């Protein structure tokens, strides 16, 4: 689903939370993938983000997320997850993939965050920050989709391509000891 975000990303994301509403510009990175300025996003989410030893360390609602800067990888808690586009640093600004608000936060912290694609709006529910923001009722579906986001009739096939005695590319962006097959199979 992350690759679909590249084509459907809005120009502005609205975050509705305890601090009111914040409008955050969505820009394209050098590959054309949608990204968000981390400082503005973290201000709206009462979170923090910093770059340490090549990793973007993000903390939101006491949950830790680590993005390997320049590589499409994210540790969500202790689970390694590939992402559609990498975190990046341009000049002195950290940018996080748009997929973070559209998919990763809602799937990791679904009781707290809900992303409405139609309205380009991330809603922060109960317990975030200093007050509670009520959840926006779900928008009626505009087209039929399966729970995984695909349209009926689509078939997705994954071929990890490595295994057994061939572990695949060790990868310059992988944490030490992580192999290509481990990321692909996960």
């Amino acid at each position: 689903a992350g690759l679909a975000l590249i084509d459907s990303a809005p120009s502005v994301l609205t975050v509705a939370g305890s601090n009111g509403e914040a409008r955050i510009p969505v820009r394209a990175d050098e590959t054309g993938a949608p990204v968000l300025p981390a400082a503005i996003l973290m201000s709206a989410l009462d979170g923090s983000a910093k770059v340490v030893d090549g990793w973007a360390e993000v903390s939101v609602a006491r949950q830790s997320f680590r993005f390997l800067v320049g590589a499409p990888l994210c540790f969500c808690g202790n689970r390694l997850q590939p992402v559609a586009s990498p975190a990046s640093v341009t000049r002195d600004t950290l940018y996080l993939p748009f997929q973070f608000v559209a998919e990763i936060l809602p799937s990791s912290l679904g009781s707290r965050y809900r992303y409405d694609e139609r309205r380009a709006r991330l809603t922060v529910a109960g317990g975030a920050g200093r007050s509670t923001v009520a959840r926006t009722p779900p928008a009626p579906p505009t087209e039929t989709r399966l729970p995984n986001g695909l349209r009926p009739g689509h078939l997705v096939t994954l071929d990890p391509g490595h295994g057994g005695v061939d572990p695949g590319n060790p990868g310059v962006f992988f944490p030490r000891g992580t192999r290509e097959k481990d990321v692909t199979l996960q």
Side-chain angles (χ1 to χ4, degrees), residues 21-175:
E21 286 192 358
R23 295 178 51 81
I24 303 170
V26 179
R27 65 171 284 216
D29 68 8
E30 66 277 352
T31 67
V35 293
L36 298 160
I40 299 171
L41 178 63
M42 291 303 107
S43 176
L45 296 176
D46 292 329
S48 66
K50 61 185 175 183
V51 178
V52 177
D53 296 328
W55 288 88
E57 296 184 0
V58 177
S59 179
V60 178
R62 294 189 219 138
Q63 176 74 33
S64 171
F65 302 91
R66 294 180 70 220
F67 294 87
L68 186 55
V69 174
L73 297 172
C74 174
F75 273 100
C76 303
N78 62 359
R79 194 180 103 238
L80 182 64
Q81 174 178 336
V83 290
S85 64
S88 60
V89 176
T90 302
R91 293 189 180 97
D92 62 346
T93 303
L94 171 64
Y95 290 93
L96 297 175
F98 184 77
Q99 184 179 4
F100 180 63
V101 296
E103 293 177 6
I104 295 172
L105 274 179
S107 75
S108 297
L109 299 165
S111 63
R112 188 170 297 221
Y113 299 100
R114 189 179 69 73
Y115 179 67
D116 180 342
E117 181 180 4
R118 188 177 58 81
R119 296 172 60 200
R121 181 181 180 91
L122 181 70
T123 303
V124 182
R130 292 173 286 285
S131 65
T132 301
V133 175
R135 283 184 173 230
T136 306
T142 56
E143 58 183 88
T144 304
R145 289 198 179 259
L146 300 172
N148 63 7
L150 296 177
R151 292 184 184 101
H154 283 198
L155 176 66
V156 175
T157 303
L158 297 178
D159 179 6
H162 298 287
V165 297
D166 181 5
N169 185 342
V172 296
F173 295 115
F174 293 150

